[in-house]
Amino acid sequence: MRKTIPTRKLRWTDLNLSTIGLGTWAIGGGGWKFSWGPQDDKESISAIQRALELGINWIDTAAVYGLGHSEEIVGKVIRRLPDKPIIATKCGRVWDRDGNIFGRLKKKSIRSEVEASLKRLKIEVIDLYQIHWPEPDEDIEEAWGAIADFIKEGKIRYAGVSNFSVEQIKRIQPIHPVASAQSPYSMLERGIEEKLLEYCSKNNMGVIAYSPMQKGILTGKFTRERVQNLPKDDHRRRDQRFQEPELSANLKLVEDLRPIAEKNGKTVAQLAIAWVLRRPEVTATIVGARRPSQIEETVVAGEWVLSKEDIATIDALLKKH
Ligand SMILES: NC(=O)c1ccc[n+]([C@@H]2O[C@H](COP(=O)([O-])OP(=O)(O)OC[C@H]3O[C@@H](n4cnc5c(N)ncnc54)[C@H](OP(=O)(O)O)[C@@H]3O)[C@@H](O)[C@H]2O)c1
């Protein structure tokens, strides 16, 4: 039976998102530039089904995840569902036959990307369509205009941006109102606290926080050995947070967080996610999972409201970190 978890309204839109959305980057599978190593499609499908059973009502994907594969897997699961989850996907990253990835935001390219995503996802309308990266910067207005046309045609309901600065959002607002900004936010990545959260709040825009567990390092389940043994095509091998000197500092932070989680009967992964959700400007956070057990654990964080004391203790730890 479907459960429910708290929802927050994506500000001026009528989308009510569960505070946790399912992230499907890793589900794109192995063998491409930004893969997370080999992934069994059957396990991916089970993870998505379990997330929906647990009350998660939206899925974040992108055309480029697995070079189309993540969207295909999501499409496979939702195809026969009478009550479909909210689907958020992204454009602006294209690839060639050799798997080289480029940022492209020309109108013609966006138009073919929308059609391809609809096909892979097996849906007629995309609920939230996001420009994945503002690259190349000079084409963001052109892409946004193309997306606004699709909204008029009824193939997209709402549009948002991802990895945009406040200045870039201001440039496209006059063309069509921006529904949401998707950006990284975790205890290890707090850039959006400087300007973006305030801008979105003032302009009644939603904020979608990605990588709340910093790609897994804040789950409490990483060790030096595990990092060394990551599959050859797991892009985290090239991520500085998984390399020295940051790795040791990050593992130490996790050990300092553990007693705070345990005192509350929770895990470090749950703490990392609840910490992101403590900010009222954040509509929801996207939590990645590649097997059912992972989302079973993390979904619990959607209902956990951290105490003021715990927030203060974590702040002090992060200052030291
Ligand atoms: N717009 C963008 O540019 C952008 C960028 C990044 C992410 N995103 C979106 O945000 C989503 C989430 O971010 P993310 O996947 O980068 O990072 P994340 O949610 O911080 O971490 C997800 C990873 O942590 C591990 N994990 C998850 N639950 C776990 C558990 N219970 N126990 C142990 N390990 C667990 C899994 O990897 P392992 O099992 O392999 O360790 C999983 O793939 C993505 O899937 C994507 O939809 C968007």
Side-chain angles (χ1 to χ4, degrees), residues 81-95:
L81 294 180
D83 192 10
K84 291 198 199 324
I86 293 163
I87 298 294
T89 191
K90 313 184 197 84
C91 63
R93 284 297 203 230
V94 297
W95 57 92

Side-chain angles (χ1 to χ4, degrees), residues 251-302:
L251 293 175
K252 163 85 173 72
L253 172 67
V254 167
E255 285 324 305
D256 291 342
L257 293 170
R258 208 181 289 281
I260 307 172
E262 282 173 0
K263 181 185 78 178
N264 287 281
K266 300 281 200 302
T267 65
V268 177
Q270 292 162 345
L271 182 66
I273 298 165
W275 182 87
V276 165
L277 290 172
R278 86 200 183 289
R279 293 288 303 228
E281 304 94 326
V282 172
T283 313
T285 182
I286 319 173
V287 176
R290 52 203 306 186
R291 60 187 74 98
S293 60
Q294 291 187 333
I295 198 67
E296 280 164 9
E297 175 184 342
T298 49
V299 75
V300 172

Side-chain angles (χ1 to χ4, degrees), residues 134-186:
E135 288 169 8
D137 171 81
E138 64 269 24
D139 289 340
I140 60 175
E141 287 90 350
E142 179 169 342
W144 196 246
I147 291 171
D149 289 344
F150 270 111
I151 293 176
K152 283 187 210 115
E153 287 171 34
K155 290 187 174 172
I156 292 173
R157 289 178 71 201
Y158 298 106
V161 295
S162 173
N163 301 302
F164 272 47
S165 67
V166 167
E167 287 66 34
Q168 287 167 326
I169 298 174
K170 283 183 185 163
R171 276 168 48 199
I172 61 167
Q173 284 282 26
I175 302 168
H176 186 86
V178 182
S180 58
Q182 179 178 144
S183 291
Y185 189 43
S186 77

Side-chain angles (χ1 to χ4, degrees), residues 22-26 36 60-62 65 90 130-133 162-163 182-184 209-217 219 221-222 226 230 234-236 269 286-291 293-298:
L22 180 71
T24 59
W25 179 2
W36 294 60
D60 180 81
T61 181
Y65 295 161
K90 313 184 197 84
Q130 306 152 104
I131 300 182
H132 206 151
W133 285 89
S162 173
N163 301 302
Q182 179 178 144
S183 291
Y210 73 67
S211 302
M213 302 175 290
Q214 202 57 58
K215 299 184 180 175
I217 198 103
T219 55
K221 292 174 195 165
F222 258 96
R226 172 135 190 251
L230 281 174
D234 191 322
H235 77 281
R236 289 176 292 186
I286 319 173
V287 176
R290 52 203 306 186
R291 60 187 74 98
S293 60
Q294 291 187 333
I295 198 67
E296 280 164 9
E297 175 184 342
T298 49

